[in-house]
Structure formats: structure tokens, C-alpha cells
Amino acid sequence: MSAYSFSTEKVSEHAHFSDALLEKARVAIAKYPEGKQKSAVLEILHDVQNEFGWVSVTAMDRVAELLSIQPIEVYEVASFYTMFNLEPTGKYVLEVCRTGPCQLRGAEELITYLEHKTGAHHGHPSPDGRFTVKPVECLAACGMAPCLQVRLKQLDGDYKYYENLDEPTVDRLIAEEWI
Amino acid sequence: MATQTKILTQHIDVPGIDTLAVYRQHGGYAAVEKALKTMSPDAVVEEVKKSGLRGRGGAGFPTGMKWSFIDRKSGNPRYLVCNADESEPGTFKDRYLMTRSPHSLIEGMIVSSFALEAHLSYIYIRGEMLATMRILEKAIVEAYAAGLLGKNILGSGYDLDLFVAPGGGAYICGEETALIESLEGKRGNPRNKPPFPAVKGLWQNPTVVNNVETIAATPWIINNGGEAYAAIGVGRSTGTKLISACGHINKPGVYEIELGVPVEEFIYSDQYCGGIWKGKKLKAVVAGGSSVPILPAQLITKTAAGENRLMTYESLAEGGFASGTMLGSGGFIVMDEDTCIVRNTHSFARFYHHESCGQCSPCREGTGWMEKVLHRIETGQGRMHDIDLLVDVAKKIEGNTICPLGDAAAWPVASAIRHFRDEFIWHIEHPQEATQPGAVYRGEAAIA
Ligand SMILES: Cc1cc2nc3c(=O)[nH]c(=O)nc-3n(C[C@H](O)[C@H](O)[C@H](O)COP(=O)(O)O)c2cc1C
Ligand code: FES
């Protein structure tokens, strides 16, 4: 498994972590015994993605510094786990489940519809920069298929699940919620 | 039909059950009081052994026995790690339980950690469930404030710290050694066994990994005794199990059943799935999450010998791979008569290819080949020898990898061909028809 693509561009704004982000990193590191701070890397990468929208090499270098590990130890992790977007995305990343059980109840049709409505195709951001449509594997919501999840700034970066989706609901969400 | 005992979900609909106060009003944390103040760790292990509780993560390994393997001699720190990675397609029970009743898991973590004499434990939750992670963390803060976690819990002298750690999107991290790697901040590449985690797990220390549902069952066992738990169910399938039912049924959802409910009743009774949607007929079921063999309608409700099949580990496995399947994680995926088995098998193959960690060649390459060949058949480019090619690739993956993801990838393909070979042949012989939107093979054999 691997990330969809990996931007190697340096992003100077990502070199500085806000106090809030540093505090989150501190809390994550404190969960582990001394010397095992590397364990916090996934949680910190989530926080970084929430702060900047995606995970750049510049930010990963800073994470390596915080954890006193080599940059490659962060890159190899970030590129293994599919939730981390290693290049800029649309403002809302619609992670739509495409796996079997959801497919039985219309996941493929939903993905096509979302791409059509948002103009975000093949994992690339929509021309207006508002959306990326990212097909993902089973989200543990198979009984509420089809479904998707979105990371929302309003929820401090937590992911919100949207379940039992149909076209009118998607239209409403695009018009009113994901703005 | 007898009323069903509810162990995990008895209070799940009570408003506010996610708060400590309401959870306690409904008897919550009584097992912590009882275990920590009146029992020894060994006595807790004994009680769980007596209960016959088996791991609910998929493999069904006896929990008490697993606990007794943990190395207590080396003097190294011991850890309990809860597997909340739930990502087996069709499975959505752990998320339901943790989100609605987080204290059920936390109480179980305290009791189980005590049994293992662990003083530091983790709940590893899949990254997609960050919102559920916040719910658990809020509940953990409440538990610390009430003296149920931390130093000298309830004055018993027992100390425990509990944290939640998120994954980042990787099915493989549900495999226990990949999970441990991930918890160490690495890529989720499974480890060779032995050594088993009970000897060398997290940071090379003795570790037990258990599923959410397994751990959440332990407080009831402590409160009511292992024998009371063992009295529920059938034979070696004791207690209750959460079944997450999805696909083409009237009432998808999570159902707590006493093990032993007839499969037919589970599918058609209004108490559970409520029958096949839109008045259609049943075609096939994947009974225990996407990794277990698919069965056609006539083999899911009755065994090949004509006996009623029950929702138990043993009954679902009756007939072996020739005509049986597995209870697995309890992800119950139902397909109606209009389902294309080739398409569904392709979707599962794509899943395993996407999720293979890439460490072992048979799995990394084989899952890719299976996806490619199935895609070819689905899109009308299949050749007749592709069917045997798929069987051959599946065989070469099975048993030849470090972790069971390889088997999990091979079984759905092998079983689909075993039971629906006609449908694959039809796809290859009638590419024009088979690639029409909504086209489905309707041969006699496929529909009960
Ligand atoms: C590829 C793969 C994925 C797995 N995913 C999960 C999972 O998401 N949750 C889980 O509890 N067990 C999962 N397991 C099983 C675990 O390896 C392990 O057996 C289980 O967590 C043990 O807990 P239990 O004895 O309580 O079931 C998976 C196994 C494999 C091979
Ligand atoms: S298959 Fe879509 S959530 Fe499980």
C-alpha cells in the first residue's frame, strides 16, 4: 500500500508549528514511556494534517525533530498509511467507501455522482479547490451504506461520518454543509 | 423464541450511557470493584477460562488460555493492547459499541489489565475513528477523576494507565503484530511468529492483544461468573456475539445474539435482519467478514448434510472449506439474487491488493494478479483458463505468507469460484451480455 502521490516541495509556512499544535504533540508523546516517543508519530501526523490540510515534507522534517528520529522514519510511516495526504487537497476531502458491502448498496454510483457534482476527478482537487473525492476502503459503517467521511475544521479536525447517502442528501451537503 | 440475554448491549440505548454517572447507575464498574478488591489476578483468569469466551476479533481463540500464556516470569512490564482497528469489510460492531458505550470497553480494559498484571494499556483505534477516539478519551478522563484509573485504583493498590492511540488507515494493522509495529510508530508490517506477542510484543515486552468485544465481555463474566457465561450458547460457542449485518437486507445493523441462533432465523426474523430487501430472494452470504468463504443460499441456512446451520463457530464451519465457512468477526454480508458474484469478488480482491503490506511476495504479487484477472473477466476480456489461473494464484498465496492476510485474500476468490464457477464461465462465454449494466447470471444452481 502506498500514498496516492508524494509532493517533495518545501513549504516554508509548514516549518513553524503553532503553540496549539506543539501542545497536542506534547500530549501525544506523554502517552508513551520514556524513550518510546516515536510511538506518537501517527497521532502527530493527524494533528499536522488537521493544521495544514495536508502533510508536507517540511512538516514531516519538523515532526522528526520533535520526536528525535530521522526524517525517513516519518516519511516511511506517512507514506504507508492511506489517511495522510502527501500533496495539497481540496478544502474538503470526501473519503467515500468503495468496498464490497457498500458497493452492494450503490457506492460506485455515489462516487460517480460526487465526482460529477464537485468536478473533482481521479483524486485531484476540483478546479475551485473546494473538494477532493478520495475512494477509500471499508469505513466500518457497512450497515449504513453508502457512506463517506470528511475531516471538518469545525470539529477540530475530527472526521464526521455521513451515512445512508443518496443524491438529494449529497446535493444538500454540497450546498449547505461543506462550504 | 426465548428472550435473548444481552451482555454487551443491555444498556446501549439508555440516554447518557456514555457518561460515567449514567453508566454507574446501570451497574457499571461493579466488576472493577469486585475483581480488584476481592479477587486475585489468577482468579480473574480462571473465571474467564471457565466462561469459554473466545476472541471476537476473528480467530476465535480462547481468551483465558491466551491470557495464561503471557510471560510473568521475565519480570518485564506486561501490556494489554485493545484491538480497535475494526476494518474487516462487513464489520462495524466495535465502532458501534465504543461510540455508544465507551465505559463498557474501559471497564473491561481495567479488569483484563488487572488479570494480566499490566500497569500500562492501550486502545489502538483505527485512524478513521478519530471522533470515537475523542469519546473514549473523554470517558477515560472521567474514569481517572473517579479513581478508576491511575494510581491505587479504588484503594486496591493496583495501578493502571490507559491511553488511546490512533492508526492512520491500514487494514493490516488489525493483524496483531502489525498493530504492535504501528503502535511503536512504524509501518504496519507483521512480524514473524514465534516469538508470540505474549512473550515478545510491544517494545519486545509480553503483550496480549484482544478485540474490543472480547474485552467488553469480561466485566459481565466477573459479575456473574464464568459458568453463567458458559451456560449461554451452544457447545464451545459460549456467550453472546455482536453480529453486524449489512447488504441486501431490510434491517442492516448490529445485533447481539446468543450464539446458536439458527442462521435462517437470523436472516428472516424481524428481530434481526428482517429478510431480503425489496421482496427478493437470497443468493449468497459472507458470514464472518470479507475474509471468510462465501456460501450460496442453500449452504448458508443448511449444511451439505441437510442440518440447520446455527450461528456458532462450529456450525458455520461444518463441511470445512468444501461447503462451510466461518463465524469470523461477525460481519454478515447478505447478497440478493441480483448480485453479480464476479463483480463482488473483484471488489474484495481489489481491497486485499490495496491493503497488502507488500512484505511477502506471494501476497504482494498474488493479490495484484487476482485483482487484474478478475477485472479482466468482469469487463468482458476474460479467457477460460483465467478461472484455473485464479484458483492457482490463490493456492500459491495461501499459507505462504508471514501473516494471515494472504489467506484472507485467497479464500474469497477460491470460494467464489468453488460455489459460483458457472457464473464465471458465463461471464467469459458471454462478454457482451455480461458487461451490460446490471447484468447478472441467473443459472439454476446459483439461486436457491
Ligand atoms: C489481516 C488481518 C486483519 C485483522 N483485523 C482485525 C481487526 O480489525 N480487529 C481485531 O480485533 N482483530 C483483527 N485481526 C485479528 C488479530 O490478529 C487478533 O487475532 C485479534 O485482535 C485477537 O483478539 P481476540 O483474541 O480478542 O479476537 C486481524 C487479523 C488479520 C490477519
Ligand atoms: S464496506 Fe463501506 S463501510 Fe464497510
Side-chain angles (χ1 to χ4, degrees):
Chain A
M1 73 199 315
S2 63
Y4 296 94
S5 25
F6 195 141
S7 162
T8 51
E9 205 182 312
K10 299 264 179 209
V11 187
S12 54
E13 315 87 88
H14 294 186
H16 178 260
F17 284 12
S18 67
D19 287 346
L21 182 52
L22 289 171
E23 174 58 17
K24 283 183 184 169
R26 195 194 58 73
V27 171
I29 293 169
K31 293 179 177 178
Y32 303 96
E34 226 179 304
K36 306 298 182 197
Q37 74 283 357
K38 177 171 169 166
S39 289
V41 65
L42 286 167
E43 185 163 353
I44 297 175
L45 285 172
H46 279 296
D47 293 332
V48 164
Q49 176 151 293
N50 183 35
E51 180 105 347
F52 301 121
W54 62 290
V55 179
S56 64
V57 166
T58 315
M60 286 191 270
D61 290 347
R62 183 78 181 93
V63 171
E65 222 173 84
L66 284 176
L67 293 174
S68 315
I69 58 179
Q70 295 301 318
I72 183 69
E73 294 177 86
V74 183
Y75 306 161
E76 66 171 8
V77 163
S79 60
F80 182 86
Y81 296 91
T82 53
M83 288 183 78
F84 303 115
N85 299 311
L86 304 184
E87 59 174 17
T89 61
K91 183 174 170 198
Y92 294 99
V93 182
L94 310 181
E95 302 189 6
V96 203
C97 174
R98 67 173 189 182
T99 313
C102 275
Q103 198 185 69
L104 292 174
R105 294 181 82 121
E108 242 155 60
E109 293 77 2
L110 176 67
I111 292 169
T112 308
Y113 188 71
L114 283 167
E115 289 187 338
H116 162 75
K117 284 296 280 193
T118 61
H121 294 277
H122 310 297
H124 300 301
S126 56
D128 62 4
R130 224 173 117 196
F131 293 106
T132 295
V133 177
K134 180 174 169 182
V136 298
E137 301 295 352
C138 180
L139 291 170
C142 332
M144 291 71 80
C147 62
L148 61 81
Q149 65 163 359
V150 187
R151 182 169 43 82
L152 295 174
K153 268 277 185 214
Q154 301 91 294
L155 293 178
D156 193 26
D158 280 350
Y159 286 79
K160 180 167 173 189
Y161 274 66
Y162 297 87
E163 300 169 337
N164 295 311
L165 287 169
D166 54 19
E167 293 182 1
T169 312
V170 165
D171 291 347
R172 186 183 57 73
L173 289 167
I174 290 176
E176 294 168 19
E177 188 151 327
W178 302 327
I179 45 176
Chain B
M1 176 190 335
T3 46
Q4 296 267 308
T5 312
K6 300 270 189 261
I7 289 176
L8 302 155
T9 59
Q10 195 185 357
H11 303 300
I12 207 149
D13 292 322
V14 173
I17 198 72
D18 58 325
T19 63
L20 181 67
V22 176
Y23 185 71
R24 277 194 137 164
Q25 276 162 24
H26 290 83
Y29 290 103
V32 171
E33 295 258 359
K34 183 170 175 185
L36 272 55
K37 290 187 172 168
T38 71
M39 295 171 79
S40 68
D42 282 345
V44 176
V45 176
E46 272 318 303
E47 219 51 57
V48 171
K49 271 191 187 163
K50 266 191 243 163
S51 75
L53 174 66
R54 292 165 69 176
R56 304 299 193 216
F61 192 83
T63 306
M65 197 191 296
K66 185 187 236 179
W67 288 5
S68 66
F69 292 153
I70 195 162
D71 167 20
R72 293 173 202 262
K73 279 180 267 153
S74 65
N76 292 333
R78 287 171 294 275
Y79 307 113
L80 172 64
V81 177
C82 172
N83 189 341
D85 192 59
E86 188 169 63
S87 22
E88 170 87 3
T91 316
F92 51 101
K93 64 189 178 72
D94 298 339
R95 177 176 159 238
Y96 169 78
L97 187 65
M98 292 186 289
T99 309
R100 302 280 285 268
S101 184
H103 286 287
S104 299
L105 177 58
I106 295 165
E107 180 173 15
M109 286 298 287
I110 300 169
V111 170
S112 308
S113 300
F114 174 73
L116 297 164
E117 298 175 85
H119 299 290
L120 176 59
S121 294
Y122 293 95
I123 299 170
Y124 178 92
I125 191 165
R126 65 181 290 197
E128 288 84 348
M129 298 185 197
L130 282 186
T132 303
M133 170 166 161
R134 305 290 173 231
I135 291 171
L136 285 168
E137 288 191 321
K138 208 172 127 219
I140 287 174
V141 168
E142 283 185 301
Y144 268 101
L148 291 159
L149 282 170
K151 293 256 175 281
N152 191 18
I153 296 173
L154 302 178
S156 66
Y158 174 64
D159 305 336
L160 176 67
D161 282 311
L162 176 63
F163 299 102
V164 190
Y171 166 69
I172 190 58
C173 291
E175 193 282 332
E176 58 184 7
T177 61
L179 186 157
I180 290 170
E181 286 284 300
S182 183
L183 194 49
E184 292 183 0
K186 302 181 202 150
R187 297 165 75 95
N189 289 345
R191 297 176 179 172
N192 267 307
K193 295 192 254 188
F196 287 89
V199 180
K200 286 189 188 303
L202 183 60
W203 303 308
Q204 297 300 315
N205 289 324
T207 305
V208 164
V209 180
N210 272 134
N211 174 256
V212 171
E213 187 187 344
T214 313
I215 291 171
T218 57
W220 194 95
I221 293 169
I222 295 311
N223 288 330
N224 299 276
E227 275 158 24
Y229 191 87
I232 304 165
V234 176
R236 288 180 56 238
S237 294
T238 64
T240 67
K241 172 91 189 81
L242 296 178
I243 307 291
S244 58
C246 63
H248 298 145
I249 46 177
N250 284 317
K251 291 171 58 202
V254 179
Y255 299 98
E256 180 172 9
I257 61 162
E258 289 181 13
L259 286 166
V261 171
V263 175
E264 186 158 8
E265 180 182 331
F266 185 72
I267 298 174
Y268 293 102
S269 156
D270 277 339
Q271 201 179 342
Y272 308 113
C273 302
I276 312 305
W277 74 347
K278 302 177 183 171
K280 293 191 194 185
K281 288 201 193 101
L282 175 65
K283 178 169 183 177
V285 171
V286 177
S290 63
S291 304
V292 311
I294 188 172
L295 288 183
Q298 67 273 20
L299 282 176
I300 186 69
T301 51
K302 294 216 189 311
T303 64
E307 279 168 29
N308 278 339
R309 229 189 254 284
L310 309 178
M311 299 286 282
T312 64
Y313 293 96
E314 294 74 23
S315 179
L316 283 166
E318 187 72 42
F321 274 11
S323 61
T325 181
M326 290 185 270
L327 180 65
S329 63
F332 198 85
I333 310 166
V334 180
M335 300 175 201
D336 72 18
E337 56 189 317
D338 292 329
T339 308
C340 172
I341 298 294
V342 175
R343 184 175 185 220
N344 189 73
T345 310
H346 169 246
S347 165
F348 283 157
R350 181 179 66 185
F351 171 81
Y352 290 103
H353 181 211
H354 184 260
E355 299 299 331
S356 170
C357 81
Q359 210 179 188
C360 312
S361 315
C363 174
R364 181 187 62 238
E365 302 302 320
T367 53
W369 277 108
M370 292 196 301
E371 180 190 348
K372 206 170 180 169
V373 173
L374 281 159
H375 181 72
R376 190 151 86 198
I377 300 176
E378 200 201 335
T379 53
Q381 331 262 298
R383 307 157 209 167
M384 205 46 83
H385 64 256
D386 280 346
I387 299 178
D388 289 330
L389 179 62
L390 283 169
V391 173
D392 187 49
V393 174
K395 226 180 250 158
K396 285 179 173 139
I397 302 174
E398 194 182 341
N400 291 321
T401 53
I402 291 174
C403 91
L405 188 138
D407 303 343
W411 295 339
V413 175
S415 61
I417 294 175
R418 190 180 311 124
H419 298 298
F420 297 94
R421 186 178 270 265
D422 288 358
E423 194 162 339
F424 285 83
I425 294 174
W426 179 77
H427 261 259
I428 293 165
E429 284 182 342
H430 302 89
Q432 298 279 342
E433 268 175 270
T435 49
Q436 296 303 312
V440 179
Y441 173 68
R442 294 185 196 282
E444 292 289 305
I447 297 174

